[in-house]
Amino acid sequence: MRLTVLNSFSRFELNVVTCPKMSAAGPVWPRLQVLRALWALLAVLLAPWRLWAIEDIQKCSWQVALNKFQTIGKNLGRDRFFYQEPLGTVDSLFSQPVDSRFDLNKEYLIFPYFLKINYSCEGESSEALVRKGYLTGLKPMVLVTFQSPVNFHHWKIEQLQIQMEGVPFRSKEPCNAEVCVMSWYTPMPIKNGSVVMYVDISSNGLGPFIPNQRFQVNINGFLQRTRDDTLQFTVGNELYELIPRYFVNAPSRPLWYTEEQAPVLILGGIPEKKLILLTDTSFKDFFLVELSIDSCWVSSFHCSQASFTATIYDAIATESTLFIRQNQLVYYFTGTYITLHEGNHSSGSWVRVLANECIKKLCPVHFHSNGSEYIMALTTGKHEGYVHFGTITDGRVSFELLPRRWSVCEGIQDIQLPVASAEVVICSITWATFIADNYSLLLLVEIEDSKKYFQVVSYDLVSDYLAILYTIPEFIPDARGLEFLTILGTESYTNHPMVPTGMSYNPYNNLLFIWGNFLLSSYNTENYIYLAGFPKEQSIKYLVNSFHGDVAIVTETEEIWYLVEGSYQVHKLFPSKGWEVYISLQVMHQSSLHAPNETMVTLFYEDSKLYQLVYLMKYKKSQLVKRLVPVEQLLIYEKLNNDYLLERQGGHLTLSFTNFCPFTVMRLRDLPNPQIYTRQELYRAPPPHVLDPSGLHNEDSLAVYQGLLYYLLWLHSQYDEPYADSVRDSTWRWWKNKKQDQDYYFYLASNGRGTGNMHIDMASYEKIYDLKAKYELPKRIFLDKGTSYSFSIFLTARGHSYQAEPGREGTTYQLRSQVDLGVVLADPNCIKVVVKEKVFVNYNSLLFWVTLSDKRFCFDQGISGHHLMKTSILVKVVGSTGHCFQDTHQGPRMQGNLMVPVLIGCPPGKRLAFDTTYTLEYNRLKNKQYFDCVHVDPEIPCFFFRDIFYPFFLIQDLVTGDSSSFQGSYVLKVVGGGPTLDTIREYSEEEIYRFNSPLDKTDSLIWTTKNTTTTKDSVFNIMSHQSLGIEWLCLENSPCHDTVPQSFFAPEFFFKVLVSNRGVDKSTYCDYQLIFLLHIHGLPLSAKRALFILRVSVTVSVSVVILYISCCLLLPLTVKACNILRWKINNIITSESYYTHTSPSKVFSSPSGTKSGSNLSVSSHGISMVAKEKAAASEEALKKLT
């Protein structure tokens, strides 16, 4: 991509007609006088030809609205982001015959909202444009970025993005045509711990040209649902009419909030009304709310106030809590954010705090730290000289009175006591700034004894130490003819007193501004530079910092000034001649964002762009609008007014312009892939393919898209296994079991033979690891210990600006360009930069290689993404500030100043994992064997007790997908265990010491090693990838000693192992902590238990042998006795049988039947003969035995 600087003004000559000098225009909306019109026309004529080509492109823009699932396809406007939990499951849709490879056994929920996407162009109907775009192949690409939460102790810090596609959906409104009204829809996902979401809409490159746009879609936790299923605010009552007296001639006020964390912004300052402006879209839309506070004003002897008002003076928004000040009363309201707090921490109503204090001012803290947000309240009355330091953690608010021992005024008087000659009469804190890096307060203190002066005081919250850093001069320095002046104490001063009113601190470059009727800057809070470009007749009301190198200033008379950090030239934006030219052009274009009468409400930065919130007073309807302040365009118009020369040539005047930009072309080259430095995790989630010939989706396909997106986020949140994964992608578990069916399902869908009406390609749901750089520096970069970031800058110099200089030896000459590149480091003790230059004489160009590196000793170890140190690098072409601009389709952009925030520490997305694969291979190699468990668990590896254990670990980068062996040092501890998974328990600190320390003398060690390296206190062994391995001991007093077997196999034990490199590893800033389960089998028995088992075994064996011998000896006698016993039993049975058969025959004989009687006698005789034979046989057998 080629970046070209405006070069049409270098020596452009134009013949003009001389005109008499004309009077200045009006202050707000100038009349179109002839000279101003000529300037506007001249600005258009002098624009490069590329701008004319850009003007030929139709100006189009994206439009985004939030819709509930029930309102998709209906033109009902937009819904408010209130619901924070999934509505229900769509498993029934997934159970239908759909060609896909997803798991039907999982739960697929849907989010409550969709994003409705349209686009509009000037002068055309939006409905017709959307149909045209769809038919020409236009498809909106939606990138949702989740902002990390404040409390990193509760949520994992990560930079997560999801790339989706808008799907076409036909409107449900009645229509006779096939496609009347349509829009694109995409799910609006919700992620636990994130309440601020950025939505970037871009085109797929087909259809009309539409610039990329960013929208904020934030959760509004200050709403509640009524009985009639409508939403209303919990902080007060919504008003629907913007009355002019609320805004006309009312002074502007600052917009204070926690940077990048506040989902809802509020703005007070409406005269005599307890009203605020509330927005959850960064003033894309807003609401006027009357607060439900009691407005109870109590005056006392210590807190006296002459008059009272309903005006809300100070308003500050944090992640989940809103703060306001009315008179001397302070209130806060905590919203309902279930996704943030995992519960309802809402205060329910406005809570009054510091009830017994007189609060004169609230001071914001723009950045969170240590998992909390902060706010400061300045007191007056009985606690004058104290600061109430507020801490907000998970919506819970607490205040602490600082300093702890005595007031700031008493501390100053104690410090100055040896040199003080007069008693302090007045002492008051004017402003307070919190510096999170060293946990201290910077206080601007007003002191009056014999004279009135101001001091900058530092208070350390940890050591409770107070120090005076700087005493502000009494009068404004005399710096006539200078842009800036370094205050050394030897300069001369004017008669205008210095009256400071506030301070502003940028933690990225350590730049402190003290402002009032002057502007002082300092990088170390001790040495100050006076910026002479700001007039001493004006007084600064508030200062707005983009924290990316730009500062805007608003004065008491509503003037707007602009400053680039690192430079000393202050530019006046409004009112100015450049503003008049710009307004004239806007009138010619009939812009709806400007009006003859307007009042600025506030000024703020968003994505490094300056915006105004302005109340426009028009003839028919007044309105409140958010509009961009074109800083670069105003500076260009101002240059046209100043950087010209009228020369008389013959009988006419020649107009010539001079371009002070030192280069004509500036390009960034050799940019590395951004993800390794920006730490952005990106998923691609395309919609399901609809098999309908029209390509239009229906409610079922949208619901399926929602379910797929929900499960993708669920997989991402669950991807935190302690064991190294070979794929390192959370999505592969989704479809790994059906990967072999991929081509088959695709064949069915592409040939129209699918069984359902949609096809889901699960392989397209993937994590992206190879994003390419976009020819611009990233928004911020993360540096680990010793890592570096490199890029190059290509510059084409203006004119021939080379000169020959003698070499080092004095005999050779080298070319040196007049174009110089400067680098400013915010913390040179922590980071370093190397710049190499190469000159291309034939191209009149230069190439600078810039390498930024960490010095390896400025940060302690920390958990991934926690406690990062803020710093920055500023790369600037000397002389380019305010003079060099680049033409883009969105207007000019300033060039020559590249400010990149740098975060030093352990980057987010890095983790330590147990490398089971290599550990098993290496253990098998070293031990010459490997015995696995009888019952194998694929999730938990198993190792044999008698083998030496060699553990290995991996550093897995979840952002880039890289995985490398951990080469650092670590401490291994067994912190829990049990013979089964159900009986694992945590060990106490005293037990952990006894089980793991080589100093233990109680025979409690679980393991030992031959390594001799230990921690500084010699308590634990230090291991590394080159260690000699671990030998399992399980001594007498250890928990794994004498483990009872659970079956016939050898005893087993599950160890809960903690691995940490805290304090022992110097290779990284990351404090890795890994806890995993280790399965050990084949544990030996204790001596007592083994002897007991031996005794039992011997006893049982001997008993069995004796029993066998006894049986062998007694078997014949036993058989003989059994036979005798059997004979006697048979004899008794035979005799009993005889008597039983003979007796009944006599009693029941029939006298009338001779035949039957003869039969009975025969049978009786037969029985007696058989009995005699059996008796004789028995006697004979008995004789044989005897």
Side-chain angles (χ1 to χ4, degrees):
M1 179 178 181
R2 183 169 181 168
L3 309 179
T4 307
V5 182
L6 286 173
N7 57 1
S8 302
F9 305 143
S10 56
R11 293 298 298 175
F12 187 92
E13 296 184 354
L14 179 68
N15 296 332
V16 299
V17 180
T18 58
C19 300
K21 185 176 181 180
M22 306 188 70
S23 60
V28 178
W29 189 272
R31 295 185 178 181
L32 297 180
Q33 301 175 0
V34 178
L35 184 59
R36 300 305 178 212
L38 287 177
W39 279 116
L41 180 60
L42 182 62
V44 176
L45 291 175
L46 294 181
W49 64 269
R50 291 181 302 275
L51 292 180
W52 292 103
I54 293 176
E55 289 295 331
D56 291 339
I57 299 176
Q58 194 175 19
K59 293 183 178 180
C60 302
S61 60
W62 294 105
Q63 296 176 348
V64 173
L66 193 70
N67 284 171
K68 292 189 295 185
F69 184 79
Q70 296 82 359
T71 61
I72 56 175
K74 302 177 182 179
N75 299 324
L76 300 179
R78 64 180 63 203
D79 295 308
R80 299 177 185 177
F81 208 143
F82 166 71
Y83 299 99
Q84 305 177 32
E85 294 180 315
L87 297 180
T89 64
V90 288
D91 297 341
S92 59
L93 296 178
F94 282 86
S95 61
Q96 295 177 4
V98 179
D99 287 340
S100 62
R101 297 179 289 112
F102 53 79
D103 193 348
L104 296 178
N105 297 323
K106 303 300 181 180
E107 188 177 30
Y108 298 88
L109 304 181
I110 60 174
F111 298 109
Y113 296 102
F114 282 86
L115 288 177
K116 178 182 179 181
I117 305 172
N118 292 324
Y119 76 96
S120 61
C121 300
E122 293 183 353
E124 294 193 33
S125 171
S126 177
E127 298 177 0
L129 288 173
V130 173
R131 290 195 298 267
K132 177 182 177 181
Y134 170 67
L135 295 176
T136 55
L138 175 63
K139 183 185 299 182
M141 311 300 293
V142 181
L143 179 66
V144 177
T145 303
F146 299 95
Q147 183 64 37
S148 297
V150 170
N151 191 355
F152 52 71
H153 302 289
H154 189 73
W155 302 102
K156 183 174 70 171
I157 298 299
E158 57 185 359
Q159 316 291 321
L160 182 62
Q161 293 180 322
I162 295 182
Q163 178 74 60
M164 299 178 291
E165 298 178 8
V167 297
F169 188 86
R170 184 187 293 110
S171 174
K172 297 180 180 179
E173 301 295 333
C175 180
N176 296 326
E178 181 179 358
V179 179
C180 290
V181 179
M182 60 170 294
S183 301
W184 288 282
Y185 285 88
T186 187
M188 183 60 215
I190 301 175
K191 177 179 172 293
N192 284 337
S194 182
V195 294
V196 175
M197 281 81 74
Y198 299 96
V199 177
D200 293 279
I201 309 295
S202 61
S203 170
N204 63 341
L206 301 177
F209 173 77
I210 310 175
N212 301 345
Q213 282 184 260
R214 165 166 283 198
F215 301 86
Q216 280 196 35
V217 183
N218 303 330
I219 298 177
N220 194 332
F222 302 93
L223 295 169
Q224 64 182 359
R225 187 169 55 183
T226 61
R227 294 182 179 179
D228 56 353
D229 205 25
T230 59
L231 297 179
Q232 67 178 17
F233 285 101
T234 56
V235 296
N237 300 319
E238 181 180 357
L239 304 182
Y240 298 95
E241 184 178 2
L242 297 177
I243 301 176
R245 63 185 174 87
Y246 293 162
F247 305 99
V248 176
N249 297 326
S252 66
R253 47 275 194 194
L255 182 65
W256 289 337
Y257 56 93
T258 305
E259 289 287 330
E260 299 181 344
Q261 300 296 149
V264 174
L265 307 181
I266 58 174
L267 188 65
I270 298 177
E272 302 301 330
K273 295 291 181 181
K274 53 180 181 181
L275 302 176
I276 61 171
L277 290 173
L278 186 146
T279 178
D280 53 18
T281 58
S282 187
F283 287 104
K284 288 285 185 181
D285 53 16
F286 51 86
F287 310 95
L288 183 64
V289 181
E290 183 180 16
L291 301 182
S292 55
I293 56 178
D294 51 13
S295 299
C296 179
W297 305 316
V298 180
S299 179
S300 64
F301 177 75
H302 296 287
C303 187
S304 59
Q305 186 166 336
S307 61
F308 301 96
T309 177
T311 306
I312 305 299
Y313 286 108
D314 300 327
I316 301 176
T318 63
E319 187 179 41
S320 61
T321 308
L322 306 178
F323 290 87
I324 61 169
R325 180 181 69 88
Q326 185 188 50
N327 297 302
Q328 295 175 340
L329 308 180
V330 177
Y331 300 86
Y332 78 87
F333 196 110
T334 300
T336 304
Y337 287 100
I338 300 175
T339 61
L340 196 63
H341 303 144
E342 288 191 339
N344 190 357
H345 289 184
S346 175
S347 58
S349 60
W350 287 99
V351 178
R352 183 182 173 187
V353 291
L354 307 175
N356 298 322
E357 300 292 336
C358 306
I359 307 301
K360 63 180 180 180
K361 184 180 295 183
L362 294 180
C363 295
V365 178
H366 297 286
F367 292 93
H368 65 92
S369 62
N370 198 31
S372 300
E373 298 167 283
Y374 306 96
I375 188 175
M376 291 171 290
L378 306 184
T379 65
T380 184
K382 62 179 180 180
H383 282 155
E384 184 76 56
Y386 286 93
V387 177
H388 289 278
F389 187 71
T391 303
I392 307 101
T393 304
D394 282 341
R396 296 182 174 91
V397 181
S398 62
F399 280 92
E400 181 183 8
L401 186 65
L402 299 176
R404 301 182 181 92
R405 290 185 296 173
W406 51 59
S407 70
V408 173
C409 301
E410 294 172 346
I412 292 175
Q413 190 171 6
D414 183 66
I415 295 173
Q416 294 180 339
L417 186 60
V419 296
S421 58
E423 184 180 356
V424 175
V425 178
I426 297 178
C427 177
S428 176
I429 300 177
T430 304
W431 196 269
T433 299
F434 176 62
I435 301 178
D437 289 341
N438 51 15
Y439 211 61
S440 64
L441 296 180
L442 281 183
L443 307 174
L444 181 61
V445 184
E446 177 186 357
I447 301 173
E448 183 176 348
D449 40 30
S450 59
K451 60 180 180 178
K452 183 178 180 180
Y453 59 96
F454 294 84
Q455 289 182 330
V456 179
V457 179
S458 173
Y459 172 71
D460 194 313
L461 276 74
V462 178
S463 62
D464 199 27
Y465 176 74
L466 192 72
I468 300 175
L469 300 179
Y470 183 69
T471 300
I472 298 175
E474 187 176 356
F475 298 98
I476 294 178
D478 187 1
R480 285 175 292 184
L482 301 176
E483 287 188 354
F484 67 95
L485 177 65
T486 302
I487 298 180
L488 302 175
T490 59
E491 58 278 346
S492 59
Y493 292 89
T494 64
N495 297 326
H496 292 269
M498 272 190 165
V499 184
T501 55
M503 296 188 300
S504 176
Y505 179 77
N506 188 343
Y508 287 106
N509 56 12
N510 304 323
L511 183 58
L512 173 68
F513 285 107
I514 302 177
W515 40 267
N517 60 343
F518 62 93
L519 192 59
L520 291 178
S521 66
S522 174
Y523 284 98
N524 58 6
T525 68
E526 296 180 0
N527 302 309
Y528 288 82
I529 296 176
Y530 171 68
L531 303 182
F534 183 79
K536 55 183 176 296
E537 294 79 15
Q538 293 288 337
S539 179
I540 298 176
K541 181 164 52 176
Y542 59 92
L543 187 145
V544 185
N545 201 322
S546 70
F547 301 104
H548 283 83
D550 305 286
V551 176
I553 301 167
V554 179
T555 67
E556 294 289 347
T557 58
E558 306 299 340
E559 291 184 357
I560 302 176
W561 294 72
Y562 173 75
L563 172 68
V564 178
E565 292 182 341
S567 67
Y568 306 105
Q569 185 178 3
V570 185
H571 305 273
K572 187 177 182 181
L573 300 181
F574 172 82
S576 65
K577 294 181 180 179
W579 182 268
E580 294 172 2
V581 174
Y582 173 73
I583 289 297
S584 300
L585 292 175
Q586 295 303 311
V587 172
M588 295 169 60
H589 285 86
Q590 298 181 350
S591 173
S592 61
L593 299 178
H594 298 81
N597 296 315
E598 58 186 36
T599 301
M600 184 174 70
V601 179
T602 189
L603 189 74
F604 60 96
Y605 273 100
E606 180 185 334
D607 293 330
S608 300
K609 295 181 180 180
L610 187 61
Y611 288 90
Q612 273 182 314
L613 189 64
V614 183
Y615 185 74
L616 305 180
M617 291 157 281
K618 298 184 178 181
Y619 297 106
K620 295 182 179 181
K621 182 181 180 181
S622 299
Q623 59 179 341
L624 197 63
V625 298
K626 172 187 175 182
R627 71 187 185 194
L628 178 69
V629 179
V631 176
E632 293 84 356
Q633 196 72 61
L634 296 177
L635 294 178
I636 291 177
Y637 293 157
E638 195 69 23
K639 283 171 54 64
L640 289 176
N641 186 71
N642 298 329
D643 303 337
Y644 70 93
L645 180 63
L646 286 174
E647 297 178 350
R648 184 171 296 275
Q649 294 183 1
H652 59 273
L653 293 176
T654 302
L655 180 63
S656 60
F657 293 86
T658 302
N659 195 331
F660 292 99
C661 183
F663 57 87
T664 60
V665 174
M666 179 177 178
R667 305 175 190 166
L668 294 178
R669 292 182 172 180
D670 305 318
L671 291 171
N673 290 346
Q675 285 180 291
I676 190 174
Y677 298 101
T678 62
R679 313 307 299 168
Q680 289 285 358
E681 296 185 65
L682 176 61
Y683 285 94
R684 180 184 291 123
H689 299 286
V690 178
L691 304 183
D692 188 277
S694 66
L696 297 175
H697 284 246
N698 52 32
E699 291 182 343
D700 290 347
S701 61
L702 288 178
V704 169
Y705 198 8
Q706 285 267 34
L708 294 173
L709 200 61
Y710 169 84
Y711 195 72
L712 175 65
L713 286 174
W714 185 86
L715 287 173
H716 171 79
S717 64
Q718 298 299 315
Y719 186 69
D720 195 21
E721 294 291 334
Y723 309 104
D725 202 335
S726 58
V727 180
R728 300 183 299 280
D729 189 346
S730 58
T731 61
W732 79 281
R733 298 176 181 270
W734 202 351
W735 45 266
K736 62 177 183 177
N737 296 329
K738 295 186 178 182
K739 187 176 181 179
Q740 67 276 8
D741 302 330
Q742 176 180 0
D743 296 335
Y744 171 72
Y745 287 128
F746 177 77
Y747 169 79
L748 293 179
S750 59
N751 289 275
R753 298 188 177 185
T755 56
N757 57 357
M758 70 184 77
H759 169 70
I760 302 173
D761 184 11
M762 297 304 299
S764 61
Y765 281 71
E766 59 181 345
K767 197 170 185 179
I768 308 301
Y769 297 114
D770 56 350
L771 281 182
K772 304 301 180 182
K774 297 182 180 180
Y775 299 97
E776 62 181 3
L777 293 177
K779 186 178 180 180
R780 65 173 63 92
I781 61 175
F782 294 80
L783 290 182
D784 197 358
K785 195 170 190 176
T787 57
S788 60
Y789 179 80
S790 301
F791 62 96
S792 62
I793 302 176
F794 181 83
L795 296 173
T796 298
R798 185 175 301 282
H800 298 281
S801 57
Y802 296 98
Q803 61 181 7
E805 291 184 351
R808 294 182 179 179
E809 299 178 357
T811 56
T812 59
Y813 289 87
Q814 60 182 7
L815 292 177
R816 185 181 185 279
S817 173
Q818 298 297 318
V819 179
D820 295 324
L821 188 72
V823 179
V824 179
L825 299 178
D827 295 281
N829 295 327
C830 300
I831 55 178
K832 64 180 180 180
V833 66
V834 177
V835 180
K836 297 181 180 179
E837 177 185 1
K838 185 176 182 180
V839 178
F840 298 93
V841 180
N842 295 338
Y843 298 98
N844 194 28
S845 303
L846 302 94
L847 185 64
F848 295 94
W849 283 282
V850 182
T851 302
L852 175 68
S853 303
D854 171 70
K855 284 189 174 182
R856 304 181 65 91
F857 54 82
C858 244
F859 186 81
D860 198 4
Q861 286 181 297
I863 300 176
S864 177
H866 294 198
H867 305 290
L868 300 174
M869 174 185 173
K870 296 182 178 67
T871 185
S872 67
I873 177 177
L874 174 62
V875 181
K876 58 183 299 182
V877 180
V878 178
S880 64
T881 304
H883 299 290
C884 300
F885 303 92
Q886 174 204 3
D887 298 330
T888 68
H889 60 272
Q890 295 181 340
R893 185 176 65 177
M894 193 176 299
Q895 276 193 306
N897 286 269
L898 303 173
M899 191 269 194
V900 182
V902 181
L903 298 174
I904 299 177
C906 183
K910 283 192 172 183
R911 70 164 192 155
L912 185 68
F914 182 40
D915 189 359
T916 56
T917 302
Y918 187 72
T919 298
L920 289 173
E921 293 178 358
Y922 191 83
N923 278 264
R924 182 183 290 109
L925 178 65
K926 296 293 290 184
N927 295 315
K928 304 294 191 300
Q929 62 182 6
Y930 175 69
F931 298 105
D932 203 349
C933 290
V934 178
H935 304 288
V936 179
D937 188 346
E939 297 293 333
I940 303 177
C942 193
F943 298 92
F944 188 52
F945 178 86
R946 298 187 183 276
D947 290 342
I948 302 298
F949 177 58
Y950 301 91
F952 290 91
F953 302 93
L954 289 177
I955 300 298
Q956 289 191 328
D957 194 329
L958 303 181
V959 177
T960 63
D962 296 332
S963 182
S964 59
S965 176
F966 177 57
Q967 304 292 322
S969 302
Y970 61 90
V971 173
L972 186 145
K973 305 176 187 177
V974 177
V975 297
T980 62
L981 291 175
D982 299 330
T983 58
I984 294 177
R985 69 175 184 90
E986 302 287 340
Y987 298 150
S988 64
E989 292 294 332
E990 189 260 339
E991 288 177 323
I992 293 176
Y993 171 82
R994 291 193 296 108
F995 299 158
N996 299 274
S997 176
L999 301 180
D1000 177 67
K1001 304 300 182 181
T1002 62
D1003 292 336
S1004 302
L1005 281 180
I1006 294 178
W1007 62 277
T1008 187
T1009 180
K1010 296 181 180 180
N1011 293 344
T1012 58
T1013 306
T1014 60
T1015 56
K1016 293 181 180 180
D1017 53 5
S1018 301
V1019 174
F1020 298 106
N1021 291 301
I1022 297 179
M1023 310 288 292
S1024 69
H1025 68 288
Q1026 297 177 345
S1027 297
L1028 300 178
I1030 291 175
E1031 180 182 356
W1032 302 107
L1033 297 179
C1034 290
L1035 297 183
E1036 182 178 357
N1037 295 321
S1038 65
C1040 56
H1041 180 76
D1042 195 19
T1043 302
V1044 179
Q1046 301 296 320
S1047 62
F1048 292 103
F1049 303 103
E1052 300 178 335
F1053 206 88
F1054 292 88
F1055 291 113
K1056 193 172 186 178
V1057 181
L1058 168 65
V1059 175
S1060 174
N1061 68 335
R1062 178 73 176 177
V1064 299
D1065 185 19
K1066 298 181 179 180
S1067 64
T1068 178
Y1069 287 138
C1070 293
D1071 178 10
Y1072 293 122
Q1073 290 188 1
L1074 172 66
I1075 297 178
F1076 63 97
L1077 293 180
L1078 195 62
H1079 191 183
I1080 303 298
H1081 72 106
L1083 273 71
L1085 300 173
S1086 65
K1088 293 181 179 180
R1089 188 173 297 276
L1091 181 59
F1092 172 76
I1093 294 177
L1094 177 62
R1095 290 177 178 176
V1096 173
S1097 301
V1098 170
T1099 302
V1100 172
S1101 300
V1102 171
S1103 301
V1104 170
V1105 170
I1106 294 175
L1107 179 62
Y1108 176 76
I1109 295 175
S1110 301
C1111 291
C1112 292
L1113 295 176
L1114 298 177
L1115 181 61
L1117 297 177
T1118 304
V1119 172
K1120 181 178 179 180
C1122 290
N1123 291 334
I1124 294 173
L1125 180 61
R1126 188 182 63 178
W1127 177 81
K1128 290 184 177 180
I1129 293 173
N1130 291 335
N1131 216 3
I1132 294 173
I1133 292 174
T1134 302
S1135 60
E1136 289 293 331
S1137 175
Y1138 170 77
Y1139 290 111
T1140 301
H1141 285 82
T1142 54
S1143 298
S1145 62
K1146 294 179 181 180
V1147 176
F1148 297 100
S1149 60
S1150 176
S1152 61
T1154 56
K1155 187 177 180 177
S1156 61
S1158 62
N1159 290 338
L1160 287 173
S1161 62
V1162 172
S1163 60
S1164 300
H1165 177 74
I1167 292 173
S1168 62
M1169 291 297 294
V1170 170
K1172 291 179 180 179
E1173 290 178 358
K1174 287 184 177 182
S1178 299
E1179 291 178 357
E1180 185 178 357
L1182 182 62
K1183 289 180 181 180
K1184 290 181 179 180
L1185 289 175
T1186 55

